[in-house]
Amino acid sequence: MALIVQKYGGTSVGSVERIQAVAQRVLQTAQAGNSVVVVVSAMGKTTDGLVKLAYEISASPSRREMDMLLSTGEQVSIALLSMALQELGQPAISLTGAQVGIVTEAAHTRARILNIATDRLEQHLQNGQVVIVAGFQGVSSANSLEITTLGRGGSDTSAVALAAALRADLCEIYTDVPGILTADPRLVPDAQLMSEITSDEMLELASLGAKVLHPRAVEIARNYGVLLVVRSSWTDDPGTKVLSPVPQPRPLEGLEIAHPVDGVEFDTDQAKIALLRVPDRPGIAARLFGEIASQDLDVDLIIQSIHEGNTNDIAFTVTKNSATHAEAVASALIPALGGGQPVSDAEVLVEQQIAKVAIAGAGMIGRPGVAAQMFSTLADAGINIQMISTSEVKVSCVIDAVECDRAIAALCGVFEVRQSGVRRQETSFELSRLKPQVNEAQNSKLKTQNMPPPVRGVALDQNQARLAIRHIPDRPGMAARIFRLLADQKVSVDMIIQSQRCRIVDGVTTRDIAFTVAAIDAETARTALINAATDLGCGEITVDAEIAKVSIVGSGMVNQPGVAARMFAALAQNQINIQMIATSEIKISSVVAKDQGVQALQAIHAAFGLSGAEKIQVST
Ligand code: ADP
Ligand code: ASP
Ligand code: MG
């Protein structure tokens, strides 16, 4: 007999008929001899309706009262589903998060789960009851009994956390689409179903806007090795499996907060190439990375910072032995970049003595303090950061090569991970040894035959804003101070990009930093920075909410040159200008104008051949 946790989303329990249909499926699972714990969301768009009511009364409702209000939605659906099961003759009981003992941090509206008491649940299961648990909610501690919620979309997280705590055999997420698709079918109607996806890829996709799974749910599945499947509520089709590696043993205590960082990685075999003052118009990045890819040079990090005037800076890293070649390619391109106009002030800089150090771990999602702690650790060691590139599960910094050992030691100490974290230098050495020596024709055949597809899915996030801080003194500790300030305001920062170009202001060398945050946090971030501007000694702070972030994700892009070039070319062909670029090993994100976001998503989806013949039906 298996123990199965099933979660049904809002649309799946959106009406009496749908609740009855869910009850039938739960009944079948129970009658097949399984113990079943069901997690449900609020019916249909109930939570949206409650949020709207709150804002009709107050422009800034208290977070505590928001939790009191929003948690009511799930209380309705659990009771109704329990009644529906009882009507079918299946013993069932509904429980709120507090009744189960889902204990969270006290952070209202975005609480993380600390632990889940399982005794009460297990008792009911032993009595032959199906237990129906309210998703999205918990209680701040056994003593204070403050109701908390986990953040919008958090029922997925409740379900996977329950599955981890109960050591369930399977966690099934039932929703209104057939599973995880190559893109949101509401925006890309010819998106295709994936039969499986790795938890690393799904973590990126979920945090880049694919709301089919709450990123924290994926994080828990990955950390605890929960077998996770996303399926349609309307069919018996198998859906999509989310594959996790065998996890390191971890305690259930501090479920969502223990060990934000799993490893410190480094790579000293990198060189940085920066192309400064290139024209800010569609097609430049596509051209540059197209040329680089055609020479089979593998690019690791790419960043393009905010532009000033009508030029951009683009920086990227390649392996050291490719640096001269990449520099030549970039330099040869300069005369052609102007489109007939002279580009006299564009230049290529090469920095050979660099190292990339990174912290990695699924537990850093939504915890802005972790990146800030990395920056302050480097600052305390007197190490200046030259480039920063972030993803939800990794923060990478480019530093001077001579400081690499000190950086690793300091980071391993602070995040309590052993120095034996993944050693990229060895990994890339082994990869290059293993890489067969083949000519270009064989190479592309090899790629199509044996390589995983470079891109698995694309995502669009239209709820971001970009902040830019001009003229930040270029010395150790500045990034640390800025991101600590934001972390203290609970603002999670997404793409962080430090410009390559230095400017001397009043005798001080300065750089610009731009980053994206959730649009709702933009004002908080702006105010915090403006208040600190004099102290920081920085210049103007600007906010741009008219942006969209479009991303491609796939583990297969590692060691496959040309993926970035294809993405940028798809944007250029549609006359879409790229405002910012940030990459990690398995994703590339570009910021574009908001009103071009959907077009950008569709163009990229098509460019990677992800479109299927069938149109996905989405229920409303
Ligand atoms: P639920 O209420 O079941 O939790 P959500 O609305 O939270 O459902 O998530 C399902 C929705 O996620 C789908 O209807 C779809 O529009 C959206 N979505 C975004 N990206 C993807 C993707 N890559 N695959 C599938 N669905 C996606
Ligand atoms: N009802 C909550 C929301 O709409 C939680 C969820 O559905 O996952 O955000
Ligand atoms: Mg959801």
Side-chain angles (χ1 to χ4, degrees), residues 10 16 19 33 79 91 116 222 283 305 375 419 453 471 489 508 521 548 582 620:
V16 166
I19 289 177
I116 299 183
R222 188 182 113 141
S305 51
F375 302 147
Q419 184 153 346
H471 308 161
Q489 300 292 319
V508 179
D521 289 336
T620 46

Side-chain angles (χ1 to χ4, degrees), residues 28-67:
Q28 278 168 22
T29 316
Q31 283 181 339
N34 301 299
S35 294
V36 193
V37 173
V38 182
V39 174
V40 279
S41 294
M43 291 174 69
K45 303 244 175 278
T46 302
T47 315
D48 291 341
L50 293 171
V51 171
K52 192 161 167 283
L53 279 178
Y55 282 93
E56 280 173 24
I57 291 194
S58 163
S60 53
S62 116
R63 287 177 178 271
R64 178 187 184 276
E65 302 309 330
M66 277 310 262
D67 278 354

Side-chain angles (χ1 to χ4, degrees), residues 79-103:
L80 292 176
L81 179 58
S82 184
M83 289 174 199
L85 279 163
Q86 289 168 5
E87 278 301 306
L88 296 174
Q90 168 63 49
I93 181 166
S94 64
L95 297 174
T96 63
Q99 286 175 314
V100 169
I102 300 180
V103 178

Side-chain angles (χ1 to χ4, degrees), residues 433-469:
R433 259 196 329 191
L434 293 173
K435 208 171 165 184
Q437 297 300 307
V438 285
N439 64 29
E440 187 48 40
Q442 282 171 316
N443 201 8
S444 53
K445 203 165 152 213
L446 191 88
K447 275 172 198 161
T448 48
Q449 280 177 355
N450 297 340
M451 293 284 213
V455 175
R456 303 272 287 146
V458 302
L460 178 67
D461 191 338
Q462 293 172 295
N463 299 314
Q464 296 253 315
R466 179 185 50 220
L467 279 96
I469 316 171

Side-chain angles (χ1 to χ4, degrees), residues 7-12 41 44 153 155-156 173-177 179-186 194 202 205 209-213 458 618-619:
K7 179 257 168 177
Y8 293 89
T11 317
S12 310
S41 294
S155 295
D156 300 332
I173 306 287
Y174 285 93
T175 185
D176 54 10
V177 285
I180 299 165
L181 306 165
T182 49
D184 185 341
R186 291 172 207 270
M194 300 183 225
M202 192 57 221
L205 273 181
K211 75 165 185 166
V212 63
L213 275 180
V458 302
V618 189
S619 311

